[in-house]
Amino acid sequence: MTASGAGRPQHAGPAPTSAGQDLSGQVLRRLTRAAAHSGAALIAEAAELTDGWAVLVDPVAGAVHSTPHSAGPEGERAAAHPQTHPHLTVHQVTDAAGTVLVLGPRRTPASQAGLIARATADLLRVRARRADEVRGAEQRLHSAVLRLLLHGHHPLAADVLGGTAATQLTHATVYRLTGRAVHTAYQALWRAAQPGTSLGGTRMLLCLDGAELVVVALHGAHDEHNSLLSLVARVADRHHLAGGAADSAPLDMFATAWAEAGTARNSATVGCLTSATGLGAHGLLRVVPTDRLAAWSTAVLKPLDREQRRTLEAWLRSGSALSAAQALDVAEGTVRTRLRGIRALLAADLDDPTVQAQLLLALRAPAAAEPTTTAEPTTAAEPTGTPPPTDAPPQTTAPPPPNSPSASPPQTTPPTPTTTASPTRLRPHPPLPPDLLTPEHADRWASALLEPLDTRLRIALRCWLGHRGRTAPAAAALGLHRTTLTTWLAECGRLLALDLSSATTRTELHLAVETSATPEEVPAALPRRGGRTYRGVRP
């Protein structure tokens, strides 16, 4: 197929001169070298040769590669409606995926842009044929890595992936999808991704596990992987799949993320991708300003090293020392010994459910800047408010400056390292520390999140979350039959549109119910109707 500038045919023109032939040869050599490296490098080289931008558009995935990244939306519009973009060069690659190459040249003549487009499309077809040849081996590799991750052999999985980038892959985000068209969706995703590709800096694993399509994003602790999320969501919508997405988890917690994604998938509707931590806009990672959350997290976790943080997160997310030991591949006694050391370092009551919720929130928070630069301003700014910062209570009374919504960055730094020797203390009251949200903002957040629940469900949910999601002791405290409490919890999940089996969802719900709780929201005040399974508390 000949290139066209939005329907404008590219004429062959006069025979090229020797200088033009030399130029064409140089262009082809540069494109060939880039194609040998990767598809993204080829698109980047085409953009540089045209002194403009270049986008490769897949009909399912959208902009697969774009240089610069901001050119992706315009490239997608041009691929869909080339006739409305006469100033661009739009070229059909004519591969199995039906991809379209869009070039936005600035000062490059149309004939030269057409040559670059044709050469780039030819090289993309060569890469696609090569990908078809190695597809079987690559698919087996993806399946093998998935099995290693599921069985807890994450160091070996990183070795199998190989390359220097593999050492930076410390976390995984799991997507699990089912439906009648999983095989078609699998082929569409594979064509969009290409073997071993990195999408937005994220390594992608793609597998068919029986009748289930599995997509795993391997990335760093705080890497952005929204491009893969949008790709999987588009595929789920187009092929009418029900999908579940887990929260990002360390590789040694892969089995937990796998289970969370499966639970979310079971509650998903066809054509939708449901998140295991589906608080959406109500999620604290979105509600609390990023710099404030990062500074608070750094101050809380400052005494812990990497191994202690991994142990703490495994214990909080799995719910028991035994499950954490299995995830970390250590003895249960080792986990309990580490937890005792963590308890002493943090000077916190790790048995308190609110403290546990605060710790898991701190572990999920984005990375903060080095606190050394913020420790000095604190001592300079402190004299205006509290001269004697000697013990922990002044630390919690110093944050009132954030009560003003307009002052976020300057007023979030002082509470973080009030003293250089001790970390920020964790306390169950208030459930959301003032370093994160003012009492007024916290109350508004909790009220909006829990608005669909009546008093009966709020009391039941609060008691259940206070028992770390264990139904039997919560039912006993409420004076309910376990079946009744289970039914009520299912009603809570339906009204809130949340997956209550997710540890991270329960974390934020616990902070919300404790923030908005009134003195009347206790088990003794639960409205009673009588009956065999809805009985009063026994004396």
Side-chain angles (χ1 to χ4, degrees):
M1 181 179 293
T2 58
S4 65
R8 184 179 66 233
Q10 301 290 332
H11 300 290
T17 63
S18 58
Q21 291 174 346
D22 291 343
L23 180 59
S24 300
Q26 182 182 3
V27 166
L28 291 175
R29 282 192 296 272
R30 290 180 58 178
L31 290 172
T32 303
R33 283 195 298 269
H37 187 268
S38 67
L42 176 58
I43 297 302
E45 190 66 37
E48 184 176 347
L49 288 170
T50 57
D51 189 28
W53 54 266
V55 180
L56 182 65
V57 181
D58 183 275
V60 173
V64 179
H65 302 301
S66 62
T67 302
H69 182 72
S70 57
E74 186 173 357
E76 293 180 15
R77 291 191 293 269
H81 305 285
Q83 66 279 1
T84 61
H85 297 76
H87 58 292
L88 303 179
T89 300
V90 182
H91 194 100
Q92 293 286 340
V93 179
T94 64
D95 57 359
T99 51
V100 179
L101 175 66
V102 182
L103 300 180
R106 289 194 178 93
R107 293 182 294 271
T108 304
S111 59
Q112 185 74 4
L115 168 66
I116 294 170
R118 289 191 296 272
T120 303
D122 290 341
L123 290 168
L124 287 169
R125 284 195 293 271
V126 171
R127 285 185 54 83
R129 284 196 296 270
R130 174 58 180 163
D132 290 338
E133 293 172 2
V134 302
R135 176 176 296 185
E138 188 72 24
Q139 288 172 343
R140 289 191 293 272
L141 175 66
H142 285 212
S143 298
V145 173
L146 177 63
R147 295 291 164 224
L148 290 172
L149 291 172
L150 281 172
H151 288 88
H153 304 302
H154 53 91
L156 184 55
D159 290 341
V160 170
L161 290 174
T164 56
T167 60
Q168 307 300 322
L169 304 178
T170 59
H171 284 63
T173 302
V174 182
Y175 306 89
R176 298 174 63 182
L177 305 98
T178 56
R180 294 182 178 179
V182 288
H183 290 275
T184 306
Y186 175 61
Q187 298 300 328
L189 266 174
W190 190 270
R191 287 195 305 265
Q194 295 297 326
T197 193
S198 293
L199 197 61
T202 299
R203 181 69 183 263
M204 175 180 175
L205 295 180
L206 184 60
C207 307
L208 270 180
D209 187 43
E212 184 177 52
L213 173 60
V214 179
V215 184
V216 179
L218 299 174
H219 50 83
H222 305 289
D223 290 348
E224 183 274 330
H225 47 93
N226 290 333
S227 53
L228 182 55
L229 171 61
S230 60
L231 170 60
V232 176
R234 283 198 299 269
V235 168
D237 177 56
R238 178 163 298 193
H239 296 278
H240 306 289
L241 304 180
D247 193 22
S248 173
L251 289 183
D252 48 22
M253 293 294 296
F254 186 85
T256 302
W258 176 270
E260 289 181 354
T263 304
R265 177 210 59 206
N266 294 337
S267 61
T269 56
V270 174
C272 295
L273 188 65
T274 301
S275 174
T277 54
L279 272 69
H282 291 292
L284 284 172
L285 296 187
R286 296 188 182 184
V287 172
V288 181
T290 302
D291 55 347
R292 186 179 302 178
L293 184 60
W296 172 79
S297 169
T298 301
V300 167
L301 303 174
K302 183 179 180 180
L304 306 184
D305 59 24
R306 182 176 180 273
E307 183 181 76
Q308 291 167 330
R309 295 187 189 198
R310 288 174 61 244
T311 301
L312 184 60
E313 183 170 5
W315 177 65
L316 291 172
R317 293 188 66 152
S318 62
S320 71
L322 177 59
S323 300
Q326 294 171 348
L328 298 171
D329 196 22
V330 297
E332 182 181 355
T334 302
V335 172
R336 295 188 184 278
T337 301
R338 291 180 185 175
L339 290 175
R340 284 195 293 270
I342 291 169
R343 185 193 307 267
L345 288 171
L346 296 180
D349 180 10
L350 296 188
D351 295 325
D352 188 281
T354 303
V355 171
Q356 292 174 3
Q358 293 171 350
L359 281 172
L360 188 52
L361 176 63
L363 289 164
R364 294 171 55 225
E370 291 297 325
T372 52
T373 56
T374 58
E376 298 171 6
T378 10
T379 55
E382 206 66 59
T384 59
T386 333
T390 53
D391 56 359
Q395 222 173 358
T396 54
T397 54
N403 283 345
S404 164
S406 60
S408 47
Q411 298 173 349
T412 54
T413 9
T416 308
T418 310
T419 61
T420 56
S422 343
T424 294
R425 291 286 299 274
L426 291 173
R427 294 180 179 80
H429 303 290
L432 273 175
D435 297 11
L436 299 181
L437 291 176
T438 65
E440 295 79 8
H441 290 166
D443 187 65
R444 284 201 297 269
W445 165 75
S447 300
L449 177 59
L450 301 172
E451 184 180 6
L453 305 184
D454 58 22
T455 303
R456 167 183 59 98
L457 294 179
R458 284 178 184 242
I459 293 175
L461 181 63
R462 183 188 184 195
C463 183
W464 180 71
L465 292 171
H467 285 85
R468 294 193 67 187
R470 291 175 293 180
T471 303
L478 290 164
L480 297 174
H481 195 281
R482 280 176 293 179
T483 304
T484 303
L485 179 57
T486 302
T487 303
W488 288 8
L489 293 173
E491 186 178 355
C492 289
R494 184 172 62 255
L495 291 172
L496 298 174
L498 296 176
D499 173 24
L500 300 186
S501 67
S502 166
T504 49
T505 297
R506 294 197 301 270
T507 291
E508 301 197 15
L509 269 181
H510 177 82
L511 295 175
V513 296
E514 292 300 324
T515 297
S516 65
T518 63
E520 292 75 25
E521 292 182 6
V522 292
L526 184 68
R528 300 290 168 181
R529 300 176 185 170
R532 183 170 61 87
T533 60
Y534 194 10
R535 58 185 182 272
V537 180
R538 294 175 180 175

